[in-house]
């Protein structure tokens, strides 16, 4: 069985280091610069984990300024085979409500100023040009583990939380929220939820051959509903604390289960896909 190591990228409201046992701190630098914060290395159950706060522990980094490449590179360098993330998001559809968890399977990219590849000839970075397939950005096996765990925990009964097995995340550049017209358009496109961070994080994890899965933690209804107040920092903050408790329970329960699966084939497949996506120049 292939050994696994799980990176956890905590979104807004989720960077509690106490979820890790035998914790140590590590400061790292990558060819792409510094990650958002120190890496917290430790264990959940008997699985090695590395926790990284996406916005820094003091929440000081805006979504558009997160060094996504340094974050993913640092976790890859630490030997992470998997990355599990949480991300606060707005609902774009009827039937998805604040407090719900959406397990993501697709994204729509509405970001504009972010570096989405490691293959740009950065010194110390990888060689060649990479045209990575994004048909299946998220790891379906890891996502299934997450969804099953949410169901087993019965969060819907205890904590008034519906789990959605799949969902398309629309990522905007931010830091502003969407106008009503934009929000209605995203809704008409069929996207399920909206945030500011899934792209390019998932894209870079895919380039790194890592199994990446994400829990969208719904905090608000964005701005498309006529009868509901539009998203504000206050509405996001109000549901954040409860959402983080649920997400923490899911992480603590799902990570030990990941170890029961033999990831050898899947990890080899990921690496084969990466290798097959790189064009090396002959000059
Ligand atoms: N994060 C949480 N809610 C959001 C929203 N409505 N739009 C973008 N990012 C969000």
């Amino acid at each position: 069985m292939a050994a696994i190591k799980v990176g956890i990228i905590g979104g807004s409201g989720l960077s509690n280091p106490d979820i890790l046992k035998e914790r140590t701190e590590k400061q790292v630098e990558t060819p792409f610069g510094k990650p958002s914060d120190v890496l917290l290395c430790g264990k959940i159950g008997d699985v090695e984990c590395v926790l990284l706060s996406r916005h820094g522990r003091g929440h000081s980094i805006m979504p558009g300024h997160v060094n996504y490449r340094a974050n993913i590179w640092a976790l890859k360098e630490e030997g992470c085979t998997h990355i599990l993330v949480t991300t606060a998001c707005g609902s774009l559809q009827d039937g998805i409500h604040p407090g719900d968890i959406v397990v993501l399977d697709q994204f729509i990219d509405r970001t504009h100023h972010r570096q989405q590849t490691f293959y740009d000839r950065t010194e110390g970075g990888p060689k060649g040009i990479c045209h990575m397939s994004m048909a299946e950005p998220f790891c379906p096996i890891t996502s299934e583990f997450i969804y099953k765990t949410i169901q087993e925990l019965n969060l819907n009964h205890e904590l008034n939380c519906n789990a959605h097995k799949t969902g398309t995340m629309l990522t905007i550049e931010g830091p502003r929220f969407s106008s009503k017209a934009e929000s209605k358009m995203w809704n008409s496109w069929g996207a399920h939820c909206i945030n500011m961070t899934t792209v390019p994080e998932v894209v870079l994890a895919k380039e790194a051959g890592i199994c990446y899965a994400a829990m969208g933690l719904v905090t608000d209804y964005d701005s498309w509903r006529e009868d509901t107040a539009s998203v504000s920092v206050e509405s996001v903050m109000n549901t954040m604390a409860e959402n983080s408790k649920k997400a923490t329970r899911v992480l603590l329960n799902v990570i030990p289960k990941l170890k029961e699966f033999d990831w050898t084939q899947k990890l080899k497949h990921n690496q084969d896909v990466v290798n097959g996506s790189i064009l090396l120049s002959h000059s």
Side-chain angles (χ1 to χ4, degrees):
M1 293 253 278
I4 64 163
K5 189 165 187 174
V6 179
I8 302 166
I9 302 181
S12 309
L14 200 137
S15 50
N16 180 359
D18 295 337
I19 65 172
L20 297 183
K21 295 183 303 191
E22 301 167 30
R23 203 166 64 236
T24 56
E25 255 185 52
K26 195 165 175 183
Q27 203 140 27
V28 298
E29 180 87 44
T30 78
F32 303 95
K34 277 193 195 330
S36 299
D37 209 325
V38 293
L39 303 180
L40 297 172
C41 307
K43 284 186 170 179
I44 291 180
D46 58 356
V47 180
E48 302 271 359
C49 295
V50 184
L51 178 62
L52 174 60
S53 168
R54 183 184 292 118
H55 300 280
R57 280 170 296 178
H59 201 107
S60 54
I61 309 172
M62 289 204 304
H65 291 173
V66 170
N67 191 339
Y68 296 95
R69 294 199 299 179
N71 287 354
I72 300 297
W73 189 272
L75 293 174
K76 178 77 179 174
E77 278 291 295
E78 278 305 301
C80 291
T81 51
H82 293 69
I83 297 180
L84 271 52
V85 313
T86 63
T87 174
C89 61
S91 159
L92 290 175
Q93 297 295 334
D94 278 324
I96 302 180
H97 305 287
D100 287 4
I101 300 180
V102 183
V103 182
L104 305 183
D105 72 328
Q106 284 293 325
F107 67 77
I108 296 175
D109 179 13
R110 291 287 304 174
T111 68
H112 304 294
H113 307 295
R114 303 181 185 189
Q115 283 165 314
Q116 299 207 5
T117 182
F118 293 115
Y119 293 80
D120 71 340
R121 298 174 170 239
T122 294
E123 208 179 316
K127 302 267 178 296
I129 292 173
C130 184
H131 295 291
M132 198 67 204
S133 166
M134 276 303 135
E136 189 178 75
F138 299 87
C139 173
I141 307 174
T142 312
S143 301
E144 174 89 17
F145 268 101
I146 292 177
Y147 182 69
K148 278 201 180 133
T149 303
I150 298 172
Q151 289 194 309
E152 281 161 21
L153 287 173
N154 232 346
L155 292 180
N156 47 334
H157 290 119
E158 265 179 63
L159 292 166
N160 192 24
C161 157
N162 287 311
H164 304 268
K165 196 169 197 274
T166 57
T168 299
M169 180 65 82
L170 187 140
T171 303
I172 55 171
E173 181 63 40
R176 68 169 178 85
F177 291 118
S178 303
S179 68
K180 267 194 191 296
E182 287 170 330
S183 193
K184 284 179 185 169
M185 182 167 70
W186 314 143
N187 160 269
S188 78
W189 286 2
H192 298 96
C193 36
I194 177 164
N195 75 350
M196 301 182 193
T197 57
T198 294
V199 182
E201 200 170 80
V202 61
V203 175
L204 293 163
K206 187 99 181 163
E207 264 195 8
I210 295 173
C211 294
Y212 178 103
M215 280 187 275
L217 309 177
V218 182
T219 52
D220 60 86
Y221 290 108
D222 204 46
S223 306
W224 58 279
R225 276 167 55 130
E226 290 303 345
D227 57 346
T228 314
S230 297
V231 57
S232 63
V233 168
E234 193 189 358
S235 63
V236 171
M237 290 320 227
N238 281 346
T239 30
M240 194 92 91
E242 279 306 309
N243 281 356
S244 300
K245 277 189 220 154
K246 293 171 205 170
T248 303
R249 281 184 60 189
V250 177
L251 290 171
L252 289 174
N253 281 278
V254 74
I255 289 173
K257 284 197 205 127
L258 293 178
K259 217 182 159 186
E260 290 158 19
F261 185 80
D262 187 355
W263 294 92
T264 314
Q265 290 278 322
K266 174 63 181 156
L267 293 170
K268 179 178 179 312
H269 173 76
N270 286 1
Q271 197 51 54
D272 289 346
V273 171
V274 175
N275 295 343
S277 305
I278 299 168
L279 297 172
L280 286 170
S281 110
H282 298 292
S283 57

